[in-house]
Amino acid sequence: MTDKTREIFGNVIDKKTVKKAERKKRKYLKKYGDDSGADYKITFAPIDALDFLGAENIRFGEENDTFADNALIVGNIRMGFGHYRISIAMASCARALGYTPYWLDLASFDATGSKMIRAQNDLYSLASRISQKSKLFNALVWEPMNSEGFKKITYNAADQKNSELLVPIFKNIDKNIPYIATHVWPSQGAVHAGMKHVVNAIPDNWPMGLHLSEGAIHAVQTPFAYLGYKTLDGFAKTQLNGIPESDIKVVGRFVDHELLVDLEEDNRRRKARIADGKPLRLLLTVGGAGAGFDMFVAMVKHLLPYVKQNKVALFINFGDHKEVCEKLVKKTGLKDLKLFFNDYDGLKKLVAEIKDGDAQGVYAIYNDDIFRAVYSTNLLMPVCDLLVTKPSELAYYPIPKIFMRHIGGHEVYGAINGRELGDSLNEYPTAKELNAMLDKLLSDGEILIHLCDRISELKAQGYYNGAYECVRLATGTK
């Protein structure tokens, strides 16, 4: 196995950084045990919520199951909802192109590498929550770390060493199976394990050393990200060797097949609702780390009079965070909610009814199942008129969008890309600014009609084909 900690794309890493990375790996081995000799058998379980994809969840079992001849593995971790959402998009497009998708959540196993991921994710989540409560911590630590700290190539060195701990999980996985990773750790782990056809699907528009996975094809969504990785400009104090052309491709945005197949018709319905003076359907996605909670409270309070006047229908997906729903209801005085708590079938029925029918009031959605929690937003996007979200992975989806304040400096560039392409409005850092723009959208329907037309134009130009292209890269059909 090549030591990718000492040299990354021909750039030699200093000895101090290498030693620090090695110490960190030894720390995890001491804490969680050395399973390098383990023989983890691979078996599969259906993912009921994604039954329309025929996706199989890879698990540890007693005996090895056999992968389908047309298998494609989507390697991921749960870190918020973003990487799961992108993974579903990859599985969706793999299925549409004739492959059987397999789901590999590397954080879900009872293995040393999985425990390492969960420990790092816990630290990330804790810091994210602190950043929402402390302006000083956010300004001095969290924002700089997410924009500049993660950018340094030396940060990648430590991750490369830690990702060696993931190798045992891959022991009984055929190394020739096409593989798409939607987070860098599953990509690095696959490369270290000898997987031969790895695509590293990079979720952010801001180039960072965090996302480097030498040995994989780096798939980026924008030309801005491409140039950042091609040159590695700003990844160190000196000029570095960049990523070779063979290892980096601009593919477009990562979007599900199901959201693209009828997109033009979805836009036609949006424009018709606006022209007919129907309630504007706003879709809000609420995270579990408390990100932007105060803005959500202020926004919901501001919108409730519009709801009472039947000018707005409000859809709020709380994911799998019931406590956030209860907190929001208490803070805003929400009443007469139409609840879809662990009622995935009911939500699908509602979506079918309001596709050409009417929607009014406030709808609250929650599900214990992570797949249903994530995909509820996907179900609602085609029948809603405007998505209100922070500029994370949803910044790239084909629905008119307006952005709340980012969480972490890297997210800023997702909002910038949406604004430049013209399928999104700006990022608004305060509730006052956000609510003012919502007022404008409610009084001037031409803005949303313009966004709908632009989205249809971008689809025709291939801007939303990134997940299809990742599948083609992994399978060698590009």
Side-chain angles (χ1 to χ4, degrees):
M1 180 171 57
T2 303
D3 188 344
K4 299 185 183 300
T5 299
R6 298 175 181 273
E7 185 175 306
I8 302 169
F9 291 111
N11 301 293
V12 177
I13 304 301
D14 64 279
K15 293 181 179 179
K16 182 179 178 180
T17 297
V18 172
K19 289 182 179 179
K20 183 178 179 181
E22 290 172 341
R23 285 198 303 271
K24 195 169 184 180
K25 179 184 175 182
R26 288 196 298 269
K27 178 182 175 181
Y28 283 122
L29 284 170
K30 182 177 180 180
K31 185 173 183 179
Y32 299 123
D34 185 351
D35 64 350
S36 57
D39 185 21
Y40 294 125
K41 305 297 184 182
I42 296 299
T43 188
F44 315 128
I47 304 174
D48 294 338
L50 305 180
D51 57 356
F52 61 97
L53 297 180
E56 296 279 349
N57 195 13
I58 297 176
R59 309 298 295 270
F60 289 163
E62 298 296 325
E63 299 292 337
N64 284 319
D65 282 345
T66 302
F67 285 91
D69 291 339
N70 63 345
L72 182 145
I73 296 173
V74 181
N76 59 74
I77 62 172
R78 176 177 179 178
M79 180 179 280
F81 279 5
H83 300 283
Y84 259 35
R85 191 181 310 285
I86 297 170
S87 297
I88 293 173
M90 298 300 174
S92 167
C93 289
R95 183 70 171 184
L97 293 175
Y99 299 93
T100 298
Y102 290 83
W103 189 274
L104 180 63
D105 180 350
L106 289 173
S108 67
F109 300 101
D110 185 23
T112 296
S114 300
K115 294 171 184 175
M116 175 271 297
I117 290 176
R118 294 197 292 269
Q120 293 199 69
N121 191 25
D122 287 345
L123 288 174
Y124 185 91
S125 296
L126 175 62
S128 181
R129 289 194 296 272
I130 294 173
S131 75
Q132 297 305 295
K133 298 175 181 178
S134 170
K135 291 183 179 180
L136 189 64
F137 177 83
N138 190 56
L140 298 181
V141 179
W142 195 236
E143 284 278 342
M145 176 60 74
N146 274 273
S147 56
E148 297 301 329
F150 292 158
K151 188 177 183 70
K152 302 305 181 186
I153 195 169
T154 49
Y155 191 91
N156 185 256
D159 273 355
Q160 288 282 8
K161 183 57 63 176
N162 286 338
S163 293
E164 293 174 4
L165 298 173
L166 298 168
V167 169
I169 298 173
F170 291 86
K171 179 175 181 179
N172 288 301
I173 294 177
D174 185 343
K175 305 306 182 289
N176 289 302
I177 295 175
Y179 181 99
I180 301 173
T182 60
H183 186 283
V184 71
W185 297 337
S187 178
Q188 293 169 349
V191 171
H192 285 303
M195 298 294 289
K196 297 179 180 178
H197 309 286
V198 179
V199 171
N200 176 28
I202 297 176
D204 295 314
N205 193 29
W206 176 242
M208 296 188 287
L210 166 71
H211 292 306
L212 297 177
S213 179
E214 187 176 5
I217 297 175
H218 295 65
V220 296
Q221 300 184 80
T222 72
F224 177 82
Y226 165 84
L227 287 173
Y229 288 108
K230 187 73 178 73
T231 63
L232 296 188
D233 189 27
F235 283 52
K237 292 181 180 180
T238 58
Q239 191 60 51
L240 300 174
N241 298 320
I243 298 180
E245 186 68 19
S246 59
D247 290 353
I248 183 166
K249 306 294 178 185
V250 182
V251 296
R253 297 176 173 193
F254 307 143
V255 179
D256 312 60
H257 172 75
E258 289 73 24
L259 292 176
L260 294 174
V261 66
D262 291 321
L263 181 57
E264 294 86 353
E265 187 63 15
D266 294 336
N267 281 328
R268 184 197 66 77
R269 290 190 182 93
R270 289 183 181 115
K271 291 163 62 176
R273 287 193 292 269
I274 294 168
D276 293 341
K278 299 286 188 180
L280 186 68
R281 301 175 180 183
L282 270 62
L283 173 58
L284 281 61
T285 59
V286 182
F293 182 79
D294 290 340
M295 286 190 74
F296 274 110
V297 171
M299 181 170 45
V300 170
K301 285 182 176 180
H302 182 77
L303 290 170
L304 282 180
Y306 287 114
V307 174
K308 292 177 181 178
Q309 298 166 28
N310 206 28
K311 292 181 179 179
V312 165
L314 197 54
F315 296 81
I316 311 176
N317 183 17
F318 293 94
D320 58 354
H321 304 291
K322 187 177 180 181
E323 72 285 355
V324 179
C325 177
E326 294 169 347
K327 185 179 177 182
L328 189 70
V329 168
K330 183 178 180 180
K331 290 281 187 179
T332 60
L334 275 171
K335 297 178 181 178
D336 301 321
L337 290 172
K338 299 172 184 178
L339 301 175
F340 292 85
F341 280 21
N342 290 320
D343 187 10
Y344 195 62
D345 290 337
L347 180 62
K348 289 194 287 187
K349 183 180 178 181
L350 171 70
V351 167
E353 290 172 350
I354 66 173
K355 187 174 185 179
D356 290 302
D358 293 329
Q360 58 183 13
V362 181
Y363 303 80
I365 299 98
Y366 156 83
N367 207 294
D368 287 320
D369 179 83
I370 176 61
F371 293 103
R372 289 180 170 86
V374 172
Y375 205 75
S376 291
T377 295
N378 287 46
L379 291 175
L380 288 164
M381 274 193 276
V383 296
C384 287
D385 302 320
L386 179 67
L387 174 66
V388 185
T389 182
K390 66 187 183 77
S392 53
E393 85 289 346
L394 282 169
Y396 304 94
Y397 276 69
I399 178 175
K401 296 169 290 291
I402 184 170
F403 297 119
M404 302 168 57
R405 192 185 189 283
H406 62 273
I407 309 299
H410 61 295
E411 291 185 346
V412 171
Y413 295 86
I416 291 172
N417 179 252
R419 185 175 64 207
E420 289 180 337
L421 281 184
D423 68 351
S424 306
L425 292 161
N426 291 348
E427 174 189 346
Y428 295 94
T430 69
K432 182 178 179 180
E433 293 169 292
L434 181 63
N435 287 334
M437 180 50 66
L438 290 172
D439 289 341
K440 183 181 287 291
L441 291 172
L442 284 160
S443 65
D444 185 355
E446 292 178 355
I447 299 172
L448 284 175
I449 288 174
H450 171 80
L451 290 173
C452 290
D453 288 339
R454 181 58 180 152
I455 287 168
S456 293
E457 290 173 1
L458 291 171
K459 182 195 171 182
Q461 296 168 21
Y463 275 88
Y464 301 117
N465 287 349
Y468 296 117
E469 296 305 308
C470 284
V471 172
R472 293 185 177 109
L473 286 170
T475 58
T477 55
K478 173 69 174 173

